[in-house]
Amino acid sequence: MTSFGGASSGMVDWNLAVATATRLVRPGPEVSRDEARAVVAELRRHAKASEGHVRGFTRMGTEDIHDTPVLVVDRPGWVRANVAGFREILKPLLDKMQERRGNSPGGAVFGALGGKVTGVELGMLLSFLASRVLGQYETFAPSTRDLPAGADGGGRLLLVAPNIVHVERELDVEPHDFRLWVCLHEETHRTQFSAVPWLRDHLEGEIQAFLAETDVDPMTFLERIREAAQSLVGGRPEGDEDDGGRSLVELVQSPAQREILARLTAVMSLLEGHADFVMDGVGPAVVPTVSEIREKFQQRRAKGASRLDMALRKLLGLDAKLKQYKDGERFVRAVVDQVGMDGFNRVWTSPNTLPTKAEIAAPADWVARVHRRAEP
Protein backbone atom coordinates (compact mmCIF):
# COMPACT_ATOMS: atom_id res chain seq x y z
CA MET A 1 0.00 0.00 0.00
CA THR A 2 1.19 3.47 -0.86
CA SER A 3 2.16 5.43 2.25
CA PHE A 4 1.52 9.14 2.44
CA GLY A 5 4.48 9.92 4.66
CA GLY A 6 3.53 12.20 7.53
CA ALA A 7 -0.13 11.86 6.64
CA SER A 8 -1.05 10.17 9.93
CA SER A 9 -0.96 13.45 11.84
CA GLY A 10 -3.08 16.55 11.48
CA MET A 11 -6.68 16.93 10.43
CA VAL A 12 -6.94 13.76 8.34
CA ASP A 13 -5.11 10.46 8.70
CA TRP A 14 -4.77 9.79 4.99
CA ASN A 15 -3.20 6.35 5.43
CA LEU A 16 -6.13 5.32 7.58
CA ALA A 17 -8.55 6.67 4.97
CA VAL A 18 -6.93 4.41 2.35
CA ALA A 19 -6.88 1.41 4.70
CA THR A 20 -10.52 1.91 5.67
CA ALA A 21 -11.75 2.34 2.10
CA THR A 22 -9.76 -0.68 0.93
CA ARG A 23 -11.17 -2.81 3.73
CA LEU A 24 -14.79 -1.73 3.23
CA VAL A 25 -15.04 -1.49 -0.55
CA ARG A 26 -17.23 -4.14 -2.10
CA PRO A 27 -15.43 -6.91 -3.95
CA GLY A 28 -15.56 -6.61 -7.70
CA PRO A 29 -17.22 -9.09 -10.04
CA GLU A 30 -15.79 -12.57 -10.19
CA VAL A 31 -13.40 -13.00 -13.10
CA SER A 32 -10.66 -15.50 -13.79
CA ARG A 33 -7.05 -14.41 -13.87
CA ASP A 34 -6.96 -14.83 -17.65
CA GLU A 35 -10.17 -12.85 -18.08
CA ALA A 36 -8.84 -10.05 -15.89
CA ARG A 37 -5.69 -9.83 -18.01
CA ALA A 38 -7.78 -9.75 -21.17
CA VAL A 39 -9.99 -6.93 -19.82
CA VAL A 40 -6.96 -4.84 -18.85
CA ALA A 41 -5.33 -5.36 -22.24
CA GLU A 42 -8.53 -4.50 -24.10
CA LEU A 43 -9.10 -1.32 -22.09
CA ARG A 44 -5.58 -0.19 -22.92
CA ARG A 45 -6.18 -0.86 -26.62
CA HIS A 46 -9.48 0.99 -26.57
CA ALA A 47 -7.92 3.94 -24.73
CA LYS A 48 -5.26 4.16 -27.42
CA ALA A 49 -7.78 3.88 -30.25
CA SER A 50 -9.99 6.49 -28.59
CA GLU A 51 -7.24 9.11 -28.92
CA GLY A 52 -7.62 9.26 -32.67
CA HIS A 53 -11.40 9.04 -32.61
CA VAL A 54 -11.76 11.91 -30.13
CA ARG A 55 -9.07 14.06 -31.72
CA GLY A 56 -10.65 13.67 -35.17
CA PHE A 57 -14.16 14.48 -33.97
CA THR A 58 -13.30 17.39 -31.66
CA ARG A 59 -10.45 18.84 -33.79
CA MET A 60 -8.55 19.34 -30.56
CA GLY A 61 -4.84 18.73 -30.09
CA THR A 62 -2.30 16.79 -32.12
CA GLU A 63 -0.79 13.33 -31.98
CA ASP A 64 2.05 14.42 -29.70
CA ILE A 65 -0.07 15.94 -26.92
CA HIS A 66 -0.92 12.69 -25.16
CA ASP A 67 1.99 12.25 -22.77
CA THR A 68 -0.34 11.47 -19.86
CA PRO A 69 -0.41 7.78 -18.88
CA VAL A 70 -3.42 5.49 -18.98
CA LEU A 71 -3.69 3.46 -15.76
CA VAL A 72 -6.08 0.51 -15.59
CA VAL A 73 -6.75 0.15 -11.86
CA ASP A 74 -8.82 -1.83 -9.39
CA ARG A 75 -10.99 -0.24 -6.70
CA PRO A 76 -8.18 0.14 -4.13
CA GLY A 77 -6.01 1.67 -6.85
CA TRP A 78 -8.70 4.26 -7.54
CA VAL A 79 -8.88 5.02 -3.81
CA ARG A 80 -5.13 5.56 -3.51
CA ALA A 81 -5.05 7.86 -6.53
CA ASN A 82 -7.90 9.98 -5.22
CA VAL A 83 -6.54 10.19 -1.70
CA ALA A 84 -3.29 11.49 -3.18
CA GLY A 85 -5.26 14.08 -5.16
CA PHE A 86 -7.43 15.09 -2.20
CA ARG A 87 -4.41 15.44 0.04
CA GLU A 88 -2.74 17.77 -2.45
CA ILE A 89 -5.73 19.99 -3.20
CA LEU A 90 -6.99 20.19 0.40
CA LYS A 91 -3.61 20.88 2.00
CA PRO A 92 -4.01 24.68 2.28
CA LEU A 93 -7.46 24.36 3.85
CA LEU A 94 -6.41 21.63 6.28
CA ASP A 95 -3.29 23.56 7.27
CA LYS A 96 -5.46 26.57 8.07
CA MET A 97 -7.87 24.44 10.08
CA GLN A 98 -4.97 22.81 11.92
CA GLU A 99 -3.81 26.24 13.04
CA ARG A 100 -7.29 27.10 14.28
CA ARG A 101 -7.81 23.78 16.03
CA GLY A 102 -6.18 24.74 19.27
CA ASN A 103 -8.14 27.98 19.53
CA SER A 104 -11.59 26.58 18.71
CA PRO A 105 -14.09 25.61 21.42
CA GLY A 106 -13.83 21.97 20.40
CA GLY A 107 -10.11 22.04 19.81
CA ALA A 108 -9.20 19.85 22.77
CA VAL A 109 -11.76 17.25 21.79
CA PHE A 110 -10.64 17.26 18.19
CA GLY A 111 -7.03 17.11 19.30
CA ALA A 112 -7.76 13.95 21.24
CA LEU A 113 -9.53 12.40 18.29
CA GLY A 114 -6.75 13.51 15.97
CA GLY A 115 -7.17 12.79 12.30
CA LYS A 116 -8.11 9.16 12.85
CA VAL A 117 -11.87 9.61 13.09
CA THR A 118 -11.85 11.80 10.01
CA GLY A 119 -9.63 9.30 8.21
CA VAL A 120 -12.01 6.43 8.96
CA GLU A 121 -15.08 8.34 7.88
CA LEU A 122 -13.44 9.69 4.72
CA GLY A 123 -12.47 6.09 3.98
CA MET A 124 -16.13 5.09 4.29
CA LEU A 125 -17.11 7.68 1.72
CA LEU A 126 -14.37 6.59 -0.67
CA SER A 127 -15.42 2.96 -0.33
CA PHE A 128 -18.88 3.98 -1.55
CA LEU A 129 -17.54 5.92 -4.52
CA ALA A 130 -14.85 3.37 -5.46
CA SER A 131 -17.42 0.82 -6.63
CA ARG A 132 -19.25 3.34 -8.84
CA VAL A 133 -16.66 5.25 -10.86
CA LEU A 134 -15.94 3.80 -14.31
CA GLY A 135 -13.13 6.15 -15.22
CA GLN A 136 -11.60 9.46 -14.28
CA TYR A 137 -8.99 11.94 -15.43
CA GLU A 138 -7.13 12.59 -12.16
CA THR A 139 -5.15 15.79 -12.44
CA PHE A 140 -4.06 16.97 -8.98
CA ALA A 141 -2.04 14.16 -7.37
CA PRO A 142 1.74 14.60 -7.66
CA SER A 143 3.59 12.15 -9.86
CA THR A 144 5.07 9.09 -8.11
CA ARG A 145 6.40 5.72 -9.18
CA ASP A 146 3.05 4.11 -8.36
CA LEU A 147 1.02 6.99 -9.79
CA PRO A 148 2.89 8.38 -12.81
CA ALA A 149 1.68 11.55 -14.49
CA GLY A 150 2.34 13.49 -17.65
CA ALA A 151 5.04 16.10 -18.01
CA ASP A 152 4.56 19.67 -16.84
CA GLY A 153 2.13 18.73 -14.08
CA GLY A 154 -0.18 16.66 -16.27
CA GLY A 155 -2.44 14.06 -14.78
CA ARG A 156 -3.32 10.49 -15.58
CA LEU A 157 -6.34 8.67 -17.01
CA LEU A 158 -7.76 6.05 -14.64
CA LEU A 159 -9.97 3.23 -15.93
CA VAL A 160 -11.52 1.17 -13.11
CA ALA A 161 -11.66 -2.29 -14.65
CA PRO A 162 -13.88 -4.13 -12.11
CA ASN A 163 -16.51 -1.38 -12.23
CA ILE A 164 -16.61 -1.43 -16.02
CA VAL A 165 -17.09 -5.22 -16.00
CA HIS A 166 -19.75 -4.93 -13.29
CA VAL A 167 -21.81 -2.38 -15.21
CA GLU A 168 -21.54 -4.13 -18.58
CA ARG A 169 -22.88 -7.29 -16.91
CA GLU A 170 -25.59 -5.41 -15.04
CA LEU A 171 -26.80 -3.72 -18.23
CA ASP A 172 -26.37 -6.92 -20.28
CA VAL A 173 -24.64 -5.10 -23.12
CA GLU A 174 -21.90 -6.19 -25.53
CA PRO A 175 -18.71 -6.01 -23.40
CA HIS A 176 -16.27 -4.93 -26.13
CA ASP A 177 -18.58 -2.14 -27.30
CA PHE A 178 -19.24 -0.93 -23.76
CA ARG A 179 -15.52 -0.80 -22.91
CA LEU A 180 -14.79 1.31 -25.99
CA TRP A 181 -17.78 3.53 -25.23
CA VAL A 182 -16.47 4.23 -21.73
CA CYS A 183 -12.97 4.92 -23.08
CA LEU A 184 -14.36 7.47 -25.54
CA HIS A 185 -15.90 9.46 -22.68
CA GLU A 186 -12.80 9.37 -20.50
CA GLU A 187 -10.45 10.04 -23.41
CA THR A 188 -12.40 13.23 -24.09
CA HIS A 189 -11.48 14.45 -20.60
CA ARG A 190 -7.86 13.51 -21.23
CA THR A 191 -7.95 15.46 -24.49
CA GLN A 192 -9.54 18.48 -22.80
CA PHE A 193 -6.69 18.79 -20.32
CA SER A 194 -3.93 17.80 -22.76
CA ALA A 195 -5.00 20.14 -25.56
CA VAL A 196 -5.87 23.07 -23.26
CA PRO A 197 -2.71 23.65 -21.19
CA TRP A 198 -4.20 26.38 -18.99
CA LEU A 199 -7.24 24.34 -17.94
CA ARG A 200 -5.67 22.44 -15.05
CA ASP A 201 -4.12 25.55 -13.48
CA HIS A 202 -7.37 27.45 -13.93
CA LEU A 203 -9.39 24.76 -12.17
CA GLU A 204 -6.86 24.45 -9.38
CA GLY A 205 -6.88 28.22 -8.92
CA GLU A 206 -10.67 28.30 -8.68
CA ILE A 207 -10.72 25.44 -6.17
CA GLN A 208 -8.03 27.07 -4.05
CA ALA A 209 -9.91 30.37 -4.13
CA PHE A 210 -13.03 28.52 -2.98
CA LEU A 211 -11.15 26.81 -0.16
CA ALA A 212 -9.43 30.06 0.87
CA GLU A 213 -12.86 31.56 1.51
CA THR A 214 -13.91 28.59 3.64
CA ASP A 215 -14.41 29.53 7.26
CA VAL A 216 -15.17 26.22 8.97
CA ASP A 217 -14.02 25.32 12.45
CA PRO A 218 -12.51 21.85 12.86
CA MET A 219 -15.46 20.44 14.78
CA THR A 220 -17.87 21.48 12.02
CA PHE A 221 -15.61 19.84 9.45
CA LEU A 222 -15.63 16.60 11.46
CA GLU A 223 -19.39 16.82 11.86
CA ARG A 224 -19.96 17.15 8.10
CA ILE A 225 -17.69 14.20 7.29
CA ARG A 226 -19.43 12.10 9.97
CA GLU A 227 -22.84 13.16 8.63
CA ALA A 228 -22.00 11.85 5.20
CA ALA A 229 -20.32 8.69 6.46
CA GLN A 230 -23.25 7.78 8.70
CA SER A 231 -25.51 7.81 5.67
CA LEU A 232 -23.66 4.71 4.56
CA VAL A 233 -24.59 2.73 7.64
CA GLY A 234 -28.06 4.13 8.23
CA GLY A 235 -26.85 6.14 11.21
CA ARG A 236 -28.74 9.33 10.45
CA PRO A 237 -31.97 9.98 12.33
CA GLU A 238 -35.15 8.72 10.67
CA GLY A 239 -36.64 11.40 8.46
CA ASP A 240 -33.37 13.38 8.35
CA GLU A 241 -32.06 12.06 5.04
CA ASP A 242 -32.61 15.25 3.08
CA ASP A 243 -31.15 17.88 5.43
CA GLY A 244 -32.92 20.62 3.55
CA GLY A 245 -31.71 19.34 0.21
CA ARG A 246 -28.22 20.74 0.64
CA SER A 247 -25.13 18.87 -0.46
CA LEU A 248 -21.97 18.47 1.61
CA VAL A 249 -20.32 21.24 -0.43
CA GLU A 250 -23.20 23.62 0.22
CA LEU A 251 -23.24 22.86 3.92
CA VAL A 252 -19.70 24.21 4.34
CA GLN A 253 -20.16 27.08 1.88
CA SER A 254 -19.90 30.72 2.89
CA PRO A 255 -21.80 33.43 0.97
CA ALA A 256 -18.54 34.75 -0.51
CA GLN A 257 -17.96 31.41 -2.25
CA ARG A 258 -21.14 31.37 -4.28
CA GLU A 259 -19.68 33.21 -7.24
CA ILE A 260 -16.69 30.84 -7.36
CA LEU A 261 -18.93 27.81 -7.02
CA ALA A 262 -21.09 29.06 -9.91
CA ARG A 263 -18.00 29.32 -12.14
CA LEU A 264 -16.83 25.85 -11.10
CA THR A 265 -20.27 24.40 -11.78
CA ALA A 266 -20.26 25.93 -15.26
CA VAL A 267 -16.82 24.52 -16.07
CA MET A 268 -17.72 21.05 -14.81
CA SER A 269 -20.97 21.13 -16.77
CA LEU A 270 -18.99 22.04 -19.88
CA LEU A 271 -16.41 19.27 -19.40
CA GLU A 272 -18.95 16.56 -18.60
CA GLY A 273 -21.40 17.62 -21.27
CA HIS A 274 -18.65 17.84 -23.88
CA ALA A 275 -17.55 14.29 -23.03
CA ASP A 276 -21.11 12.97 -23.42
CA PHE A 277 -21.53 14.88 -26.69
CA VAL A 278 -18.29 13.47 -28.10
CA MET A 279 -19.16 9.97 -26.94
CA ASP A 280 -22.48 10.17 -28.77
CA GLY A 281 -20.90 11.77 -31.83
CA VAL A 282 -18.13 9.21 -32.24
CA GLY A 283 -20.09 6.25 -30.98
CA PRO A 284 -22.27 5.37 -34.00
CA ALA A 285 -19.23 5.06 -36.27
CA VAL A 286 -17.15 2.80 -33.99
CA VAL A 287 -19.52 1.22 -31.43
CA PRO A 288 -22.11 -0.94 -33.24
CA THR A 289 -24.48 -1.25 -30.25
CA VAL A 290 -24.14 2.36 -29.06
CA SER A 291 -27.90 3.05 -29.12
CA GLU A 292 -28.65 0.14 -26.81
CA ILE A 293 -25.77 1.04 -24.49
CA ARG A 294 -26.76 4.69 -24.30
CA GLU A 295 -30.42 3.93 -23.57
CA LYS A 296 -29.64 1.40 -20.83
CA PHE A 297 -26.95 3.58 -19.28
CA GLN A 298 -29.23 6.62 -19.19
CA GLN A 299 -31.91 4.53 -17.47
CA ARG A 300 -29.34 3.40 -14.93
CA ARG A 301 -28.24 7.00 -14.27
CA ALA A 302 -31.80 8.20 -13.83
CA LYS A 303 -32.95 5.32 -11.67
CA GLY A 304 -30.06 5.30 -9.22
CA ALA A 305 -30.07 2.49 -6.68
CA SER A 306 -31.46 2.14 -3.17
CA ARG A 307 -33.02 4.86 -1.04
CA LEU A 308 -29.76 5.01 0.92
CA ASP A 309 -27.79 5.40 -2.29
CA MET A 310 -30.05 8.25 -3.41
CA ALA A 311 -29.75 10.00 -0.04
CA LEU A 312 -25.97 9.81 -0.17
CA ARG A 313 -25.91 11.02 -3.75
CA LYS A 314 -27.79 14.14 -2.65
CA LEU A 315 -25.54 14.68 0.37
CA LEU A 316 -22.36 14.40 -1.70
CA GLY A 317 -23.78 16.51 -4.52
CA LEU A 318 -23.69 13.62 -7.00
CA ASP A 319 -27.25 14.38 -8.07
CA ALA A 320 -25.94 17.78 -9.14
CA LYS A 321 -23.31 16.05 -11.28
CA LEU A 322 -25.98 14.08 -13.12
CA LYS A 323 -27.68 17.38 -13.92
CA GLN A 324 -24.33 18.72 -15.17
CA TYR A 325 -24.16 15.96 -17.78
CA LYS A 326 -27.57 16.94 -19.16
CA ASP A 327 -27.16 20.72 -19.01
CA GLY A 328 -23.62 20.61 -20.37
CA GLU A 329 -24.50 18.35 -23.27
CA ARG A 330 -27.43 20.57 -24.24
CA PHE A 331 -25.07 23.58 -24.22
CA VAL A 332 -22.45 21.89 -26.40
CA ARG A 333 -25.01 20.52 -28.84
CA ALA A 334 -26.74 23.89 -29.21
CA VAL A 335 -23.47 25.77 -29.78
CA VAL A 336 -22.16 23.23 -32.33
CA ASP A 337 -25.49 23.36 -34.16
CA GLN A 338 -25.25 27.16 -34.34
CA VAL A 339 -21.54 27.81 -35.07
CA GLY A 340 -20.02 24.41 -35.85
CA MET A 341 -17.25 22.52 -34.05
CA ASP A 342 -14.56 25.11 -34.75
CA GLY A 343 -16.87 27.83 -33.47
CA PHE A 344 -17.54 25.81 -30.32
CA ASN A 345 -13.81 25.27 -29.78
CA ARG A 346 -13.39 28.96 -29.08
CA VAL A 347 -14.57 27.95 -25.63
CA TRP A 348 -11.01 26.68 -24.98
CA THR A 349 -9.29 29.99 -25.88
CA SER A 350 -8.92 31.30 -22.33
CA PRO A 351 -10.76 31.38 -18.99
CA ASN A 352 -12.64 34.42 -20.32
CA THR A 353 -14.27 32.35 -23.06
CA LEU A 354 -15.58 29.66 -20.72
CA PRO A 355 -19.37 29.78 -20.36
CA THR A 356 -20.93 31.20 -17.23
CA LYS A 357 -23.50 29.21 -15.30
CA ALA A 358 -26.22 31.35 -16.88
CA GLU A 359 -24.81 30.76 -20.37
CA ILE A 360 -24.84 26.99 -19.86
CA ALA A 361 -28.62 27.35 -19.63
CA ALA A 362 -28.71 29.90 -22.49
CA PRO A 363 -26.15 28.84 -25.14
CA ALA A 364 -27.15 31.63 -27.53
CA ASP A 365 -25.91 34.14 -24.97
CA TRP A 366 -22.45 32.54 -25.00
CA VAL A 367 -22.39 32.54 -28.80
CA ALA A 368 -23.37 36.22 -28.87
CA ARG A 369 -20.74 37.19 -26.30
CA VAL A 370 -17.77 35.19 -27.60
CA HIS A 371 -18.39 35.35 -31.34
CA ARG A 372 -19.41 38.99 -31.39
CA ARG A 373 -16.24 39.87 -29.48
CA ALA A 374 -14.12 37.84 -31.90
CA GLU A 375 -15.51 39.50 -35.00
CA PRO A 376 -13.57 42.48 -36.48
Side-chain angles (χ1 to χ4, degrees):
M1 177 184 295
T2 301
S3 173
F4 294 95
S8 60
S9 61
M11 298 293 297
V12 180
D13 186 332
W14 297 106
N15 288 335
L16 189 55
V18 171
T20 301
T22 302
R23 185 177 73 252
L24 294 179
V25 72
R26 297 173 183 174
E30 289 191 13
V31 295
S32 68
R33 188 180 297 270
D34 287 345
E35 185 178 3
R37 288 197 187 102
V39 170
V40 170
E42 183 173 26
L43 286 172
R44 286 176 176 153
R45 289 197 304 272
H46 284 332
K48 181 64 178 175
S50 295
E51 291 181 17
H53 295 316
V54 171
R55 192 169 59 244
F57 183 79
T58 64
R59 304 176 195 173
M60 293 176 67
T62 59
E63 290 188 12
D64 61 354
I65 67 170
H66 287 298
D67 67 334
T68 53
V70 176
L71 307 179
V72 182
V73 299
D74 57 10
R75 290 169 178 176
W78 179 87
V79 167
R80 288 191 291 271
N82 277 269
V83 165
F86 289 157
R87 186 189 179 201
E88 186 74 11
I89 201 72
L90 291 175
K91 187 177 185 302
L93 172 65
L94 295 180
D95 286 349
K96 181 171 72 172
M97 291 170 63
Q98 178 82 4
E99 291 177 6
R100 291 187 56 184
R101 187 171 75 176
N103 299 323
S104 66
V109 177
F110 200 102
L113 293 172
K116 294 193 178 299
V117 171
T118 313
V120 167
E121 293 177 338
L122 180 60
M124 293 172 68
L125 293 176
L126 288 169
S127 73
F128 170 85
L129 296 171
S131 63
R132 286 157 172 76
V133 176
L134 300 182
Q136 173 189 0
Y137 188 80
E138 202 297 311
T139 184
F140 296 120
S143 180
T144 65
R145 183 174 59 84
D146 295 331
L147 194 62
D152 300 322
R156 72 284 295 163
L157 178 61
L158 306 175
L159 297 170
V160 191
N163 295 351
I164 293 172
V165 172
H166 171 78
V167 173
E168 71 192 28
R169 291 179 178 179
E170 178 187 306
L171 297 182
D172 189 25
V173 292
E174 210 290 318
H176 306 294
D177 285 3
F178 183 73
R179 294 166 195 175
L180 176 55
W181 189 74
V182 170
C183 287
L184 289 171
H185 181 101
E186 302 307 332
E187 176 59 37
T188 303
H189 288 316
R190 185 169 174 238
T191 296
Q192 290 163 349
F193 282 90
S194 299
V196 186
W198 54 263
L199 183 59
R200 178 192 180 278
D201 289 342
H202 173 70
L203 266 182
E204 183 174 13
E206 292 281 61
I207 292 170
Q208 291 301 341
F210 181 89
L211 296 176
E213 293 289 338
T214 300
D215 188 23
V216 179
D217 67 82
M219 286 305 293
T220 302
F221 176 76
L222 175 60
E223 180 183 321
R224 297 316 184 198
I225 294 292
R226 178 181 294 122
E227 195 171 64
Q230 286 178 345
S231 295
L232 291 171
V233 295
R236 303 184 73 193
E238 187 66 28
D240 191 37
E241 293 89 348
D242 194 1
D243 200 8
R246 294 181 296 172
S247 72
L248 190 63
V249 169
E250 291 168 318
L251 285 169
V252 301
Q253 181 188 346
S254 68
Q257 295 170 297
R258 288 178 183 166
E259 187 176 336
I260 301 171
L261 189 59
R263 292 198 301 267
L264 278 169
T265 299
V267 174
M268 297 312 297
S269 297
L270 171 69
L271 298 181
E272 297 293 358
H274 184 234
D276 266 13
F277 176 78
V278 172
M279 188 167 58
D280 284 350
V282 175
V286 298
V287 182
T289 60
V290 65
S291 296
E292 178 191 359
I293 291 172
R294 183 67 158 143
E295 181 180 357
K296 289 183 174 180
F297 196 76
Q298 289 286 54
Q299 290 173 354
R300 181 179 185 270
R301 271 183 182 172
K303 183 175 65 175
S306 66
R307 181 167 175 266
L308 175 63
D309 188 32
M310 295 295 283
L312 190 61
R313 281 178 182 273
K314 172 160 282 191
L315 185 61
L316 294 175
L318 297 181
D319 55 335
K321 182 171 182 178
L322 297 182
K323 188 173 184 297
Q324 287 172 7
Y325 282 104
K326 296 176 184 176
D327 293 347
E329 185 182 14
R330 278 195 293 265
F331 170 83
V332 176
R333 190 173 301 280
V335 171
V336 172
D337 285 348
Q338 188 169 346
V339 296
M341 186 65 75
D342 290 336
F344 165 78
N345 281 340
R346 290 188 185 177
V347 79
W348 312 116
T349 304
S350 76
N352 293 329
T353 56
L354 291 172
T356 64
K357 190 176 179 180
E359 287 171 341
I360 288 287
D365 292 350
W366 178 87
V367 172
R369 175 173 67 88
V370 171
H371 283 260
R372 183 171 59 237
R373 175 186 297 173
E375 290 172 0

